[in-house]
Amino acid sequence: MTHHGGGFSPLEFERIAEAESIERSQAFVERMRRRRTVREFSAVPVPLEIIENAIRVAGTAPSGANQQPWHYVVVRDQATKARIREAAEEEEKESYAHRMSQEWLDALAPLGTDWHKPHLTDAPYLIVCFRLDYGLETDAEGNEVRVKHYYPGESMGISVGMLITALHNAGLATLTHTPSPMKFLNEILERPRNERPFVVLPVGYPAEDCMVPNITKKPLSEIMTVV
């Protein structure tokens, strides 16, 4: 299914004063600087409406040919979360023991991670982000037809980044979790074969005694060049 409305319409754009633009940008930097990856979640319930609005934001992301190659499965059922945790820990245990290189393990060491993933059942929600590598449509004869998707990886990355930003902006904490391999998520969540798990986001409020590692981000001078 294409999502081109046909034709063109005037851009809805509000130009704001330069001083206000700078002020907004600085305030947003400070807000986003406080975003941290959280592995310890509170069981305090979170209104589903916040999750829905964050996914609405993710859905506004630009994508190749406007194909919007994403689907977000929101898991709040505790039994389903437990199945996902069990499968993820099985894969992660194998990865930590046999799949990961020593270099990779050394890089992870300061973060204190291991194969135990209690956040998968502690967080009120898991948002499982699926990338649609190609579309599936039915032609006039009732046959299933593949539709090529353009830049699904890049499109999905942008959308998930906007989702994480929207969740943080709404006062929620997240974790980007990528067990490998992740095909078990298709089976547990009964998703079609054209959807590939991209990342799992446990979402909720941080635990009151939540601790995070002491890390720093690269300064602007290291991540930006003006020419």
Side-chain angles (χ1 to χ4, degrees), residues 190-219:
E190 300 180 352
R191 300 309 306 166
R193 67 182 184 278
N194 65 317
E195 297 185 8
R196 181 188 296 269
F198 187 79
V199 67
V200 180
L201 299 179
V203 179
Y205 300 114
E208 287 190 12
D209 57 352
C210 179
M211 301 288 286
V212 293
N214 294 317
I215 60 173
T216 59
K217 297 297 184 181
K218 294 179 180 179

Side-chain angles (χ1 to χ4, degrees), residues 18-224:
E18 188 175 271
E20 183 184 351
S21 182
I22 292 171
E23 184 180 338
R24 283 193 197 182
S25 68
Q26 290 173 337
F28 196 66
V29 168
E30 292 309 309
R31 177 171 295 184
M32 294 311 299
R33 273 182 177 159
R34 292 192 292 272
R35 188 208 62 78
R36 291 300 304 270
T37 291
V38 164
R39 291 179 171 82
E40 299 167 359
F41 287 88
S42 165
V44 173
V46 172
L48 180 62
E49 186 177 3
I50 300 175
I51 307 299
E52 291 173 336
N53 284 336
I55 293 175
R56 285 188 175 100
V57 170
T60 70
S63 61
N66 194 39
Q67 290 172 321
Q68 303 161 62
W70 43 68
H71 189 87
Y72 294 99
V73 178
V74 179
V75 183
R76 56 182 175 179
D77 176 69
Q78 198 63 28
T80 305
K81 287 192 286 180
R83 289 180 64 198
I84 290 173
R85 176 179 174 180
E86 182 181 5
E89 287 186 333
E90 189 175 322
E91 296 293 355
E92 292 286 83
K93 192 173 184 179
E94 181 67 21
S95 291
Y96 273 88
H98 304 294
R99 295 172 182 153
M100 293 180 175
S101 66
Q102 190 58 49
E103 185 179 30
W104 190 356
L105 292 170
D106 291 344
L108 288 173
L111 303 179
T113 63
D114 60 24
W115 64 268
H116 296 92
K117 306 298 175 186
H119 43 262
L120 293 176
T121 47
D122 291 347
Y125 297 101
L126 300 180
I127 303 178
V128 184
C129 312
F130 286 92
R131 183 183 81 211
L132 279 62
D133 282 346
Y134 54 91
L136 288 175
E137 293 186 2
T138 304
D139 64 18
E141 286 74 40
N143 300 312
E144 192 176 73
V145 179
R146 284 193 182 200
V147 178
K148 180 177 175 59
H149 279 175
Y150 300 93
Y151 303 106
E154 293 86 344
S155 303
M156 187 75 204
I158 296 169
S159 182
V160 170
M162 291 176 65
L163 174 59
I164 292 169
T165 303
L167 290 166
H168 175 73
N169 188 57
L172 298 179
T174 60
L175 165 73
T176 51
H177 178 54
T178 51
S180 180
M182 291 196 283
K183 197 65 178 175
F184 66 86
L185 291 165
N186 287 73
E187 298 164 12
I188 292 174
L189 300 175
E190 300 180 352
R191 300 309 306 166
R193 67 182 184 278
N194 65 317
E195 297 185 8
R196 181 188 296 269
F198 187 79
V199 67
V200 180
L201 299 179
V203 179
Y205 300 114
E208 287 190 12
D209 57 352
C210 179
M211 301 288 286
V212 293
N214 294 317
I215 60 173
T216 59
K217 297 297 184 181
K218 294 179 180 179
L220 187 64
S221 59
E222 288 188 28
I223 65 171
M224 184 181 83

